[in-house]
mmCIF file with all atom_site columns, all heavy atoms in Angstrom:
data_model
loop_
_atom_site.group_PDB
_atom_site.id
_atom_site.type_symbol
_atom_site.label_atom_id
_atom_site.label_alt_id
_atom_site.label_comp_id
_atom_site.label_asym_id
_atom_site.label_entity_id
_atom_site.label_seq_id
_atom_site.pdbx_PDB_ins_code
_atom_site.Cartn_x
_atom_site.Cartn_y
_atom_site.Cartn_z
_atom_site.occupancy
_atom_site.B_iso_or_equiv
_atom_site.pdbx_formal_charge
_atom_site.auth_seq_id
_atom_site.auth_comp_id
_atom_site.auth_asym_id
_atom_site.auth_atom_id
_atom_site.pdbx_PDB_model_num
ATOM 1  N N   . PRO A 1 289 ? -45.639 21.629 -3.518 1.00 0.00 ? 895 PRO A N   1
ATOM 2  C CA  . PRO A 1 289 ? -46.300 22.093 -2.285 1.00 0.00 ? 895 PRO A CA  1
ATOM 3  C C   . PRO A 1 289 ? -45.778 21.383 -1.032 1.00 0.00 ? 895 PRO A C   1
ATOM 4  O O   . PRO A 1 289 ? -45.212 20.290 -1.119 1.00 0.00 ? 895 PRO A O   1
ATOM 5  C CB  . PRO A 1 289 ? -47.771 21.727 -2.513 1.00 0.00 ? 895 PRO A CB  1
ATOM 6  C CG  . PRO A 1 289 ? -47.755 20.641 -3.525 1.00 0.00 ? 895 PRO A CG  1
ATOM 7  C CD  . PRO A 1 289 ? -46.521 20.824 -4.358 1.00 0.00 ? 895 PRO A CD  1
ATOM 8  N N   . LEU A 1 290 ? -45.977 22.018 0.085  1.00 0.00 ? 896 LEU A N   1
ATOM 9  C CA  . LEU A 1 290 ? -45.702 21.387 1.378  1.00 0.00 ? 896 LEU A CA  1
ATOM 10 C C   . LEU A 1 290 ? -46.765 20.310 1.582  1.00 0.00 ? 896 LEU A C   1
ATOM 11 O O   . LEU A 1 290 ? -47.961 20.582 1.494  1.00 0.00 ? 896 LEU A O   1
ATOM 12 C CB  . LEU A 1 290 ? -45.793 22.436 2.490  1.00 0.00 ? 896 LEU A CB  1
ATOM 13 C CG  . LEU A 1 290 ? -45.620 21.925 3.917  1.00 0.00 ? 896 LEU A CG  1
ATOM 14 C CD1 . LEU A 1 290 ? -44.185 21.487 4.167  1.00 0.00 ? 896 LEU A CD1 1
ATOM 15 C CD2 . LEU A 1 290 ? -46.014 23.009 4.912  1.00 0.00 ? 896 LEU A CD2 1
ATOM 16 N N   . MET A 1 291 ? -46.306 19.082 1.797  1.00 0.00 ? 897 MET A N   1
ATOM 17 C CA  . MET A 1 291 ? -47.262 17.991 1.999  1.00 0.00 ? 897 MET A CA  1
ATOM 18 C C   . MET A 1 291 ? -47.697 17.979 3.454  1.00 0.00 ? 897 MET A C   1
ATOM 19 O O   . MET A 1 291 ? -46.992 18.459 4.340  1.00 0.00 ? 897 MET A O   1
ATOM 20 C CB  . MET A 1 291 ? -46.599 16.646 1.674  1.00 0.00 ? 897 MET A CB  1
ATOM 21 C CG  . MET A 1 291 ? -45.847 16.631 0.372  1.00 0.00 ? 897 MET A CG  1
ATOM 22 S SD  . MET A 1 291 ? -46.909 16.116 -0.950 1.00 0.00 ? 897 MET A SD  1
ATOM 23 C CE  . MET A 1 291 ? -45.744 16.122 -2.300 1.00 0.00 ? 897 MET A CE  1
ATOM 24 N N   . GLU A 1 292 ? -48.847 17.361 3.680  1.00 0.00 ? 898 GLU A N   1
ATOM 25 C CA  . GLU A 1 292 ? -49.366 17.296 5.059  1.00 0.00 ? 898 GLU A CA  1
ATOM 26 C C   . GLU A 1 292 ? -48.485 16.449 5.955  1.00 0.00 ? 898 GLU A C   1
ATOM 27 O O   . GLU A 1 292 ? -48.394 16.675 7.151  1.00 0.00 ? 898 GLU A O   1
ATOM 28 C CB  . GLU A 1 292 ? -50.780 16.703 5.060  1.00 0.00 ? 898 GLU A CB  1
ATOM 29 C CG  . GLU A 1 292 ? -51.829 17.689 4.596  1.00 0.00 ? 898 GLU A CG  1
ATOM 30 C CD  . GLU A 1 292 ? -53.175 17.015 4.424  1.00 0.00 ? 898 GLU A CD  1
ATOM 31 O OE1 . GLU A 1 292 ? -53.341 15.853 4.832  1.00 0.00 ? 898 GLU A OE1 1
ATOM 32 O OE2 . GLU A 1 292 ? -54.062 17.669 3.871  1.00 0.00 ? 898 GLU A OE2 1
ATOM 33 N N   . VAL A 1 293 ? -47.869 15.436 5.335  1.00 0.00 ? 899 VAL A N   1
ATOM 34 C CA  . VAL A 1 293 ? -47.073 14.488 6.136  1.00 0.00 ? 899 VAL A CA  1
ATOM 35 C C   . VAL A 1 293 ? -45.630 14.468 5.652  1.00 0.00 ? 899 VAL A C   1
ATOM 36 O O   . VAL A 1 293 ? -45.311 15.033 4.606  1.00 0.00 ? 899 VAL A O   1
ATOM 37 C CB  . VAL A 1 293 ? -47.655 13.053 6.035  1.00 0.00 ? 899 VAL A CB  1
ATOM 38 C CG1 . VAL A 1 293 ? -49.029 13.004 6.688  1.00 0.00 ? 899 VAL A CG1 1
ATOM 39 C CG2 . VAL A 1 293 ? -47.730 12.605 4.581  1.00 0.00 ? 899 VAL A CG2 1
ATOM 40 N N   . GLU A 1 294 ? -44.779 13.815 6.402  1.00 0.00 ? 900 GLU A N   1
ATOM 41 C CA  . GLU A 1 294 ? -43.393 13.644 5.976  1.00 0.00 ? 900 GLU A CA  1
ATOM 42 C C   . GLU A 1 294 ? -43.345 12.791 4.711  1.00 0.00 ? 900 GLU A C   1
ATOM 43 O O   . GLU A 1 294 ? -44.256 12.012 4.454  1.00 0.00 ? 900 GLU A O   1
ATOM 44 C CB  . GLU A 1 294 ? -42.616 12.908 7.076  1.00 0.00 ? 900 GLU A CB  1
ATOM 45 C CG  . GLU A 1 294 ? -42.210 13.773 8.212  1.00 0.00 ? 900 GLU A CG  1
ATOM 46 C CD  . GLU A 1 294 ? -40.967 13.216 8.884  1.00 0.00 ? 900 GLU A CD  1
ATOM 47 O OE1 . GLU A 1 294 ? -40.877 11.999 9.009  1.00 0.00 ? 900 GLU A OE1 1
ATOM 48 O OE2 . GLU A 1 294 ? -40.097 14.030 9.253  1.00 0.00 ? 900 GLU A OE2 1
#
Side-chain angles (χ1 to χ4, degrees):
L896 176 70
M897 312 269 183
E898 284 172 10
V899 294
E900 281 207 321

